[in-house]
Amino acid sequence: MPNYLAIDTSANASVALVDKTTGSIVDKRVSSKGNDQTETLSAYVEELLDAHGQKGQDLAGIIVGVGPGPFTGLRVGLVAARTFGFVWQVPVYGVMSLHALAEQVLESGDVPAEFVVASDARRKEVYWARYGKAGVMVVGPHVSAASALPALPVFGVGAGIYAEQLEEVGAKPMTGSFEWIADAGFLARRGLGDLADGKDLSDTSPQYLRESDAQVPAFMKKAKA
């Protein structure tokens, strides 16, 4: 039975093989670092395919996280997914990376009526979105200081980094989720559910939410003008 390959590099490099029928994670690889996507991603994909006798061209498709995330890391995953899809001639589907965190909340079984998920956006900010009990996004995605989040339970690594600031504004950082990042396996679970519901996931445009740290020098802008 063909599997889906899932990729997310909005935080750490995360790759998973997911069963097409059940949505269960067959196997996955997740880096412990947040800045080695270029070095690890292709190796993780090769390891997973080889370990399970899977050929790229036999995949049911590729599900990739479109962010929000830092410019460089996010771009690595998107370029890789599109390249693999082109070479193997399999469809590529885009899913917002914060949805993976929402799926982890649903998996936990203790789901608040409304909740927020937050990932690390650096610059003393978080990427975040607000969800209802069924895991449907009602607000977001946004990037802001943690102090701008609503007074709700907050899940994800962003909640751990900025726990004190969240508590000051009445939010409730959920301690059991402080290590959660966007996981490719949970990303695929959301993607498969959306595909089953008939949603169009063909758009793989990145959601950066803010400008890249790399800026064109002023003298180059003048020369171009």
Side-chain angles (χ1 to χ4, degrees):
M1 179 67 68
N3 296 313
Y4 279 90
L5 175 68
I7 295 171
D8 192 279
T9 56
S10 63
N12 300 21
S14 178
V15 180
L17 275 179
V18 178
D19 186 277
K20 176 182 177 181
T21 303
T22 66
S24 60
I25 300 172
V26 177
D27 200 355
K28 69 178 181 179
R29 301 285 188 275
V30 181
S31 173
S32 60
K33 301 178 181 179
N35 60 355
D36 63 350
Q37 293 93 339
T38 302
E39 295 83 357
T40 57
L41 184 59
S42 293
Y44 285 168
V45 171
E46 184 176 9
E47 285 177 17
L48 285 181
L49 295 181
D50 288 348
H52 298 276
Q54 182 84 69
K55 293 183 179 180
Q57 57 266 34
D58 295 331
L59 290 168
I62 299 171
I63 296 171
V64 63
V66 299
F71 183 86
T72 302
L74 183 59
R75 183 174 58 179
V76 170
L78 288 169
V79 170
R82 293 168 182 169
T83 302
F84 292 146
F86 176 78
V87 172
W88 295 332
Q89 291 295 290
V90 298
V92 180
Y93 304 105
V95 176
M96 193 182 75
S97 300
L98 292 175
H99 289 337
L101 292 173
E103 287 295 318
Q104 287 180 268
V105 177
L106 299 181
E107 174 78 6
S108 71
D110 186 16
V111 186
E114 283 196 313
F115 62 90
V116 171
V117 300
S119 63
D120 183 15
R122 304 171 189 173
R123 303 185 192 175
K124 298 182 179 180
E125 292 182 326
V126 293
Y127 296 117
W128 64 276
R130 180 173 178 171
Y131 292 81
K133 189 174 181 65
V136 177
M137 187 175 70
V138 294
V139 175
H142 296 299
V143 60
S144 70
S147 58
L149 270 61
L152 292 169
V154 182
F155 296 81
V157 66
I161 296 172
Y162 300 105
E164 184 175 340
Q165 293 93 319
L166 290 169
E167 289 174 345
E168 287 175 355
V169 296
K172 182 180 179 182
M174 305 302 288
T175 57
S177 72
F178 284 1
E179 302 298 320
W180 290 4
I181 59 171
D183 180 287
F186 286 103
L187 184 86
R189 181 176 298 178
R190 172 59 66 99
L192 291 178
D194 286 347
L195 288 172
D197 290 339
K199 294 184 180 180
D200 181 6
L201 303 182
S202 60
D203 186 4
T204 59
S205 302
Q207 296 192 22
Y208 294 126
L209 299 191
R210 65 187 182 199
E211 294 291 328
S212 168
D213 288 332
Q215 299 294 323
V216 177
F219 78 90
M220 292 182 66
K221 291 181 180 179
K222 290 180 180 179
K224 185 176 181 181

